[in-house]
Amino acid sequence: MIQGKTIICEEVFMQLVRLAAEKVENVSLCESGSGGIMGFAKGLTGKNVPTIGVEKTDAEVDENGTVTRGHVSFALKVSVACDANIPEAIENLREAVVTEVVKITDFVVDKVDIIVARLDEPAKKAEPEKEPQTEEKTDNEENGSQE
């Protein structure tokens, strides 16, 4: 086997988080902006607080050929639908992130910190289209018989 180092950039991990978040109901990543909690955090720290924060250590191969898996941690800012159970929605997101990252990168996910920055209006459920009401006659009515 040819030796060499593979580095997975933070942007790839951010994309994986976005993919995972799209699969989870009632949760969405907060958009970057200067209002609300983002603006408040920037005012306190003087820095923009990112929607997705990534801290990672890359896999290492020692002189004996032993591979140490890479590790990654996340900090996410999300919004949750106001009619959702927040702990359940956040746990679903956390599990989705871990599953996606491990499946694609084989990194160990040490932690996924999640900040619920706001509540969103509940998602409108698509109502089934109502079929036009037509008068249907039963077999008895068509034959003129009555019971």
Side-chain angles (χ1 to χ4, degrees):
M1 177 174 9
I2 299 174
Q3 295 294 317
K5 189 172 191 175
T6 301
I7 298 173
I8 301 174
C9 293
E10 284 84 357
E11 289 80 12
V12 172
F13 288 103
M14 294 169 79
Q15 287 177 305
L16 291 172
V17 168
R18 286 186 189 97
L19 289 171
E22 289 175 2
K23 298 175 184 177
V24 179
E25 291 183 26
N26 298 318
V27 177
S28 60
L29 296 171
C30 288
E31 299 299 322
S32 295
S34 59
I37 191 88
M38 305 291 195
F40 179 72
K42 182 178 180 184
L44 289 176
T45 64
K47 299 178 184 176
N48 273 328
V49 179
T51 299
I52 304 170
V54 179
E55 290 183 25
K56 70 175 184 76
T57 56
D58 292 310
E60 296 289 333
V61 180
D62 66 17
E63 59 275 355
N64 298 327
T66 304
V67 177
T68 305
R69 290 172 61 189
H71 287 252
V72 64
S73 296
F74 298 98
L76 314 176
K77 281 195 189 270
V78 301
S79 59
V80 177
C82 66
D83 61 345
N85 178 295
I86 293 175
E88 181 181 309
I90 296 307
E91 188 56 32
N92 290 341
L93 175 60
R94 191 172 278 121
E95 288 175 10
V97 168
V98 171
T99 299
E100 194 75 21
V101 169
V102 170
K103 178 177 76 172
I104 301 296
T105 68
D106 199 38
F107 269 58
V108 175
V109 179
D110 293 327
K111 66 180 178 175
V112 181
D113 292 332
I114 301 175
I115 299 167
V116 179
R118 70 171 187 259
L119 293 176
D120 286 335
E121 293 296 318
K124 291 185 179 180
K125 295 179 182 172
E127 294 182 21
E129 289 186 27
K130 294 182 181 178
E131 295 182 20
Q133 295 284 342
T134 59
E135 289 187 29
E136 294 182 24
K137 294 184 178 181
T138 64
D139 288 338
N140 289 341
E141 291 175 333
E142 288 177 5
N143 295 334
S145 62
Q146 296 180 353
E147 291 183 31

